[in-house]
Amino acid sequence: MFTKFFHELKSAGLPVSLREYLTLMEAMDADLAGRKVEDFYYLSRASLVKDERNLDKFDRVFSHVFKGLETISEEISAEVPEEWLRLMTERYFSEEEMREIEALGGWDKLMETLKERLEEQKKRHEGGNKWIGTGGTSPYGSGGYNPEGVRIGNEGKRQGRAVKVWEKREYKNLDDDVQLGTRNIKMALRRLRKFARQGAPDEFDLDNTIDATARAGYLDIKMRPERRNMIKVLLFFDVGGSMDPYIKTLEELFTAARAEFKHMEYFYFHNCLYDYVWKDNRRRWTEKIPTWDVLHKYPHDYKVIIVGDASMSPYEITVPGGSVEYFNEEAGAIWMKRLTDIYERVVWLNPVQKDSWDYVPSTQLIRELIGDRMFPLTLGGIENAMNELKR
């Protein structure tokens, strides 16, 4: 496995040397990583990565070779044996079967019943409609189907209906060095411009210098402030989960925005805005930024652009504790209202095709919260969004 890890890193373009690999093996022989995958991750990263630009490549190779995630639980604590969650078969449901599956009866009932299942269940179960397991219609487990449930164990993308996902996931930072395909996005973003000359006079003013010299009879050099786009932008990116297929498009948008808006601040969130955001996905659990601090720091004249697919369980928007990752004390809808109350101009760019918006309840909720100012993440959609922000 370690040899495969080394070759995968080389294939991914990381400049890993044989000497560094042998050093890692010596550290393993000395039991420096103990028996924890997390400790081995940090040990191998320190041994093999010399440039922080390669950290994301390393993370992707590591997650591919060592397929294991650290499980977290906040309100409910219990050890679910791995055997219970092992997929023995892959079950596919017809549309008629899906329509027949009924929801449990709301968020509170869902979590209350989960506690009961954890106390009662004594063995692995597969293909049923009640216990924690795989391949069935139970709302608890992995690999089956239920219109609302708690996914326990992550075997890849399934039905996309989980109310709460019990894994601590690491997301990739958006690379603002990507240039491919950004030119047209830059042209669309240029609709949001307001030029002014403010700040220190650090630009040579040729016309005024000629005029002043002619009047004075000697060389009289004149300077002026540089002409800059004075529009100020707050950019919020939804990352992880169902947003993964759109990473390349988001990177292009991020690169273009960095080039066009000199007064721009960006933050990451997941699914819906809650009580904190973050700037670095590698440190998202340790370097949280309270959303209140963002709303108080940046004045109301900032233009707000939110980028996300707005695809989630409606509980994540309407119910305290609805976040898929932790127990949020206030519903996402409350934070969205605070954002729109403070900032007059807020738009939402959605990478999902517009034709499907009316069929996703969470998308409809978000559109209501932002005053139906959601636009598709296309060139035409970006242009319309910029026109909306200019009003």
Side-chain angles (χ1 to χ4, degrees):
M1 178 177 287
F2 294 128
T3 304
K4 177 185 177 182
F5 183 40
F6 176 72
H7 288 300
E8 290 280 353
L9 289 172
K10 296 284 285 185
S11 299
L14 273 78
V16 183
S17 68
L18 183 60
R19 177 66 263 175
E20 292 165 346
Y21 174 73
L22 293 176
T23 299
L24 175 61
M25 292 300 98
E26 292 173 1
M28 293 296 294
D29 290 339
D31 201 26
L32 295 184
R35 296 292 183 269
K36 294 182 178 180
V37 175
E38 183 178 2
D39 292 343
F40 171 68
Y41 164 78
Y42 287 112
L43 175 64
S44 58
R45 193 177 76 173
S47 303
L48 302 175
V49 181
K50 299 180 288 293
D51 190 325
E52 64 179 7
R53 290 177 296 181
N54 293 320
L55 287 175
D56 183 66
K57 292 181 182 178
F58 176 85
D59 287 349
R60 282 182 283 172
V61 172
F62 189 93
S63 64
H64 170 68
V65 176
F66 304 100
K67 296 180 180 178
L69 294 174
E70 179 182 350
T71 302
I72 62 170
S73 57
E74 303 245 355
E75 294 299 302
I76 302 175
S77 298
E79 290 293 331
V80 179
E82 180 182 354
E83 177 67 21
W84 292 7
L85 305 174
R86 187 175 301 157
L87 284 175
M88 306 299 290
T89 61
E90 187 79 41
R91 180 169 180 179
Y92 296 91
F93 297 86
S94 68
E95 293 186 3
E96 182 178 355
E97 286 178 312
M98 290 182 181
R99 286 194 297 267
E100 291 176 355
I101 297 170
E102 297 292 338
L104 262 179
W107 171 258
D108 294 335
K109 182 65 176 177
L110 191 68
M111 301 309 290
E112 177 186 344
T113 307
L114 175 57
K115 291 181 181 180
E116 295 174 359
R117 296 286 188 274
L118 289 170
E119 293 172 357
E120 297 173 8
Q121 187 169 349
K122 304 301 181 184
K123 62 180 181 179
R124 166 186 162 78
H125 201 79
E126 180 181 4
N129 60 5
K130 178 179 179 181
W131 300 112
I132 300 169
T134 62
T137 61
S138 168
Y140 313 113
S142 181
Y145 177 87
N146 196 289
E148 52 181 17
V150 177
R151 191 174 80 233
I152 304 176
N154 185 22
E155 298 290 338
K157 184 176 180 181
R158 301 293 171 184
Q159 308 295 337
R161 293 291 192 274
V163 173
K164 187 173 282 289
V165 182
W166 282 28
E167 278 86 32
K168 176 182 176 182
R169 293 167 293 174
E170 300 298 333
Y171 302 136
K172 177 188 173 186
N173 284 340
L174 300 179
D175 183 0
D176 63 335
D177 292 330
V178 173
Q179 290 295 330
L180 182 64
T182 60
R183 183 177 181 276
N184 288 337
I185 298 179
K186 288 182 181 179
M187 297 300 293
L189 292 176
R190 285 177 185 174
R191 291 179 176 270
L192 186 60
R193 280 184 166 186
K194 182 181 179 181
F195 285 104
R197 296 188 182 276
Q198 296 181 2
D202 51 8
E203 180 182 88
F204 178 61
D205 188 345
L206 177 60
D207 292 339
N208 283 337
T209 297
I210 294 174
D211 182 70
T213 299
R215 294 177 185 276
Y218 56 84
L219 181 60
D220 188 2
I221 296 178
K222 297 294 183 181
M223 305 294 289
R224 63 184 179 186
E226 182 182 353
R227 186 170 177 262
R228 295 185 176 92
N229 185 3
M230 301 309 296
I231 292 293
K232 294 178 285 188
V233 174
L234 275 178
L235 196 54
F236 293 93
F237 284 105
D238 179 6
V239 292
S242 57
M243 287 297 294
D244 286 346
Y246 309 109
I247 285 180
K248 184 177 184 296
T249 302
L250 265 61
E251 287 178 336
E252 294 172 353
L253 175 64
F254 190 36
T255 300
R258 270 280 182 88
E260 291 300 317
F261 302 126
K262 302 304 180 184
H263 304 280
M264 186 191 85
E265 294 292 337
Y266 70 93
F267 300 93
Y268 297 117
F269 70 98
H270 182 56
N271 281 355
C272 190
L273 202 64
Y274 297 117
D275 54 333
Y276 72 88
V277 292
W278 59 93
K279 298 277 286 187
D280 189 332
N281 284 305
R282 291 188 296 268
R283 299 182 176 89
R284 62 180 301 238
W285 297 106
T286 58
E287 297 182 4
K288 302 175 182 178
I289 302 172
T291 306
W292 264 129
D293 290 356
V294 176
L295 301 184
H296 288 155
K297 180 177 181 180
Y298 301 102
H300 63 88
D301 59 341
Y302 269 76
K303 314 290 185 181
V304 178
I305 303 174
I306 305 172
V307 186
D309 61 2
S311 179
M312 67 199 89
S313 164
Y315 290 131
E316 297 184 56
I317 304 172
T318 60
V319 180
S323 168
V324 298
E325 298 183 307
Y326 74 108
F327 191 89
N328 51 300
E329 295 184 357
E330 295 181 300
I334 293 177
W335 286 103
M336 290 299 301
K337 187 176 187 307
R338 287 171 178 160
L339 184 76
T340 54
D341 285 346
I342 293 174
Y343 300 101
E344 182 180 0
R345 295 300 172 194
V346 179
V347 297
W348 188 296
L349 294 176
N350 193 332
V352 178
Q353 290 186 354
K354 189 174 182 180
D355 294 344
S356 66
W357 292 0
D358 291 335
Y359 304 102
V360 182
S362 60
T363 304
Q364 297 178 37
L365 286 172
I366 292 294
R367 292 174 70 183
E368 292 175 5
L369 290 170
I370 64 170
D372 203 22
R373 287 174 288 185
M374 182 178 289
F375 301 90
L377 188 50
T378 61
L379 291 179
I382 295 173
E383 290 179 353
N384 292 335
M386 297 306 103
N387 290 334
E388 174 65 31
L389 293 176
K390 283 180 65 176
R391 290 184 181 179

